[in-house]
Amino acid sequence: MSERATDPEFDECDCPAKVDAALERTEPGAGPALLWLVLDEFHPPAVVLPRIKRGLRSRDAQTRANALQSLGHFGRLHRNVDVESLALLRGALRDRTPLGGYQLRGYADNAADDIGMFVPRHRLPRWLRRRHAGPWRPRRLRR
């Protein structure tokens, strides 16, 4: 039997309804619950991405930081991010809110690097490609 089936902590974090409730109440555990939801392969992107966007709009800096981490993981896992999430990411890149000795824009920078690395270049806006693009993959030469 898997660890997931025996550990009650997993049941607290991965249910989309519980993540919604935690985000609504701005609980301290809302950010980690969001990360669990993103990293759980059983939830489709249509379930996960709206909750990431809610986390990015949270008043709590820690929840926003975890939502930025979640957005980076989402881009890595699904190789796609929508326009609204990219707009929220762009705003977070200028966020100087202090969090544990760092600024929130550092978390946004890491998320942008993940998205630039794993999402195909043609799906990224120019501002992200210029600063956070992953490796250049040249096209094959035609003969």
Side-chain angles (χ1 to χ4, degrees):
M1 192 152 55
S2 72
E3 178 185 354
R4 181 181 184 119
T6 59
D7 190 353
E9 182 179 329
F10 283 103
D11 292 335
E12 293 176 17
C13 296
D14 66 346
C15 178
K18 291 181 181 179
V19 172
D20 287 338
L23 287 169
E24 187 71 31
R25 292 188 302 262
T26 62
E27 291 179 2
L34 190 57
L35 281 165
W36 277 111
L37 187 69
V38 170
L39 295 174
D40 185 9
E41 69 271 5
F42 299 110
H43 297 294
V47 171
V48 176
L49 198 55
R51 287 160 179 87
I52 292 173
K53 290 187 261 190
R54 282 186 63 196
L56 290 171
R57 290 185 183 103
S58 175
R59 290 187 311 258
D60 181 47
Q62 183 63 56
T63 300
R64 288 196 316 270
N66 290 132
L68 287 164
Q69 291 171 323
S70 299
L71 185 62
H73 287 308
F74 184 88
R76 179 178 52 82
L77 294 170
H78 298 285
R79 309 260 194 257
N80 198 7
V81 179
D82 69 348
V83 174
E84 184 182 0
S85 298
L86 291 173
L88 292 168
L89 174 63
R90 191 172 191 183
L93 286 165
R94 295 184 296 270
D95 191 346
R96 295 178 182 267
T97 303
L99 182 65
Y102 299 98
Q103 292 180 353
L104 207 57
R105 66 184 181 167
Y107 291 93
D109 196 52
N110 288 337
D113 285 342
D114 284 347
I115 290 169
M117 179 71 70
F118 293 102
V119 175
R121 289 177 65 87
H122 68 275
R123 293 184 187 162
L124 299 176
R126 178 176 283 170
W127 65 264
L128 196 131
R129 283 193 314 253
R130 286 185 176 180
R131 193 164 157 215
H132 299 280
W136 178 258
R137 295 179 187 99
R139 293 183 181 179
R140 290 178 41 174
L141 295 175
R142 295 182 194 182
R143 291 186 184 204

